[in-house]
Amino acid sequence: MCLREAGESVATGESQQAQQNWRYCGGQIKLWREESGVSRQRLADEAGYDYEYVKSMECGRRRPTLGLLQVADQMCGARGKLLAGQEFLNPSRRGPRSTWRSRPRQSQCSGTSRC
């Protein structure tokens, strides 16, 4: 059972959303793993992680890694469904990196507008 340990602080705002994403993605790994008959130890060995580390990722205490997602997706026959969760594990952005800027570049400023 995956429960929050005593004394663990409750995250707020953006970090709380990230932690919910970790829990959801980790839960999906666990569901797919159990459904396909793959033991946690076998997944841990194949992915190169310790059993407890995989358990903490499945429980949402740690962010599931790309490596674990790749191995779990292949071992469990998820055909990309587990890998699709990767985008929700990355830090949130306001938009695609190539289009978002906090301030316009100097060349984008007209002489009459303030940047």
Side-chain angles (χ1 to χ4, degrees):
M1 183 176 226
C2 300
L3 298 175
R4 192 178 303 241
E5 295 177 10
E8 191 175 322
S9 64
V10 176
T12 59
E14 200 171 299
S15 63
Q16 187 176 16
Q17 180 63 50
Q19 201 166 37
Q20 288 174 348
N21 291 348
W22 296 2
R23 264 193 307 275
Y24 179 78
C25 190
Q28 289 298 305
I29 293 169
K30 183 177 179 180
L31 287 172
W32 277 92
R33 179 181 59 72
E34 290 175 343
E35 182 69 25
S36 62
V38 175
S39 71
R40 185 179 285 144
Q41 186 63 58
R42 187 167 156 226
L43 176 60
D45 291 344
E46 198 68 31
Y49 290 109
D50 180 76
Y51 175 93
E52 288 297 322
Y53 197 79
V54 171
K55 181 179 178 180
S56 68
M57 286 190 269
E58 286 184 347
C59 293
R61 289 189 303 264
R62 294 185 186 270
R63 181 177 62 84
T65 63
L66 175 59
L68 183 74
L69 289 170
Q70 290 171 329
V71 172
D73 194 85
Q74 182 179 7
M75 289 182 76
C76 300
R79 298 185 323 233
K81 292 177 183 80
L82 289 173
L83 279 173
Q86 178 193 4
E87 70 180 272
F88 298 101
L89 300 175
N90 295 329
S92 64
R93 301 179 198 272
R94 294 183 187 174
R97 178 175 266 176
S98 62
T99 60
W100 180 77
R101 291 190 182 88
S102 60
R103 293 181 62 187
R105 291 182 180 168
Q106 191 66 22
S107 62
Q108 293 173 325
C109 298
S110 67
T112 59
S113 68
R114 291 179 56 181
C115 294

